[in-house]
Amino acid sequence: MKYLTDDRIAIEIGDLTKLDVTAVVNAANSGLLGGGGVDGAIHRAGGTEILAECIKIRETIYPNGMPAGNAVVTTAGKMKAEYVIHTVGPVWHGGNSNEPEILRNAYINSLKAAAEKKMESVAFPAISTGVYRFPKNKAARIAFSAAREFAAKSEYPKKIIFVFFSESDRETFIRAIKQD
Ligand code: AR6
């Protein structure tokens, strides 16, 4: 693991679903009932318990789906992690439809959910940069500044980890945040 600032924010390459952390963040869709990408991988790795809780959340809190930018917590089922924090990033429509604000909200609300449960460590995928097509360098700057600001004012989560699937995605992230 490589630390970016102090010992609070780190980056790692690998599969989010295999990590030994308190929570993994899911880049879900508003339906909360699974999908492709990270979402599919998390539901496959965690098993049916996650879906059962998501169905309950849909029935009770979000009958019309969870709006982008929000976050909810479920079990992580069979994964090493204890929890999954499900959030929904924006679909990229060119940048003039509040995409940056919504992406920031997705990170901040996930971190708030982690802080409320005093979680030690939370691992994020690069929300919205896959199927939802948010440009990776812009997304990196938003993710990093949200994490840095949150860590500066909140004791929990003690560790925030950005997880990338590939070396090139990790390099894009590092290059982007250095341009700040
Ligand atoms: N570990 C770490 N990173 C991963 C993993 C993994 N196991 N799998 C994919 N990535 P995406 P989005 C990277 O498409 O853009 C789903 O269908 C991937 O390389 O998963 O927010 C949902 O149900 C990419 O950089 O999420 C929604 O409908 C990043 O994770 C929609 O996709 C995010 O890619 C959400 O799209």
Side-chain angles (χ1 to χ4, degrees), residues 12-19 25-44 87-92 103 124-134 136 162-166 169:
E12 199 166 301
I13 296 179
D15 182 349
L16 193 76
T17 64
K18 302 257 167 33
L19 297 182
V25 176
N26 184 14
N29 57 61
S30 291
L32 290 180
L33 304 179
V38 184
D39 197 4
I42 284 175
H43 280 276
R44 271 194 304 279
T87 190
V88 180
V91 178
W92 180 258
L103 185 62
F124 282 91
I127 299 167
S128 282
T129 65
V131 175
Y132 284 178
R133 304 181 318 272
F134 202 114
K136 289 181 179 179
F162 293 111
V163 183
F164 301 98
F165 235 1
S166 68
D169 280 353

Side-chain angles (χ1 to χ4, degrees), residues 2-5 9-13 103 107 124-127 129 135-148 160-180:
K2 184 177 183 304
Y3 288 100
L4 286 174
T5 44
I9 303 175
I11 41 177
E12 199 166 301
I13 296 179
L103 185 62
Y107 279 97
F124 282 91
I127 299 167
T129 65
K136 289 181 179 179
N137 57 345
K138 286 190 172 57
R141 287 195 283 272
I142 292 166
F144 183 61
S145 68
R148 207 168 37 177
I160 301 167
I161 307 156
F162 293 111
V163 183
F164 301 98
F165 235 1
S166 68
E167 178 64 42
S168 77
D169 280 353
R170 192 182 76 133
E171 275 166 18
T172 302
F173 183 91
I174 291 173
R175 228 178 297 123
I177 65 168
K178 279 187 179 154
Q179 282 163 11
D180 263 353

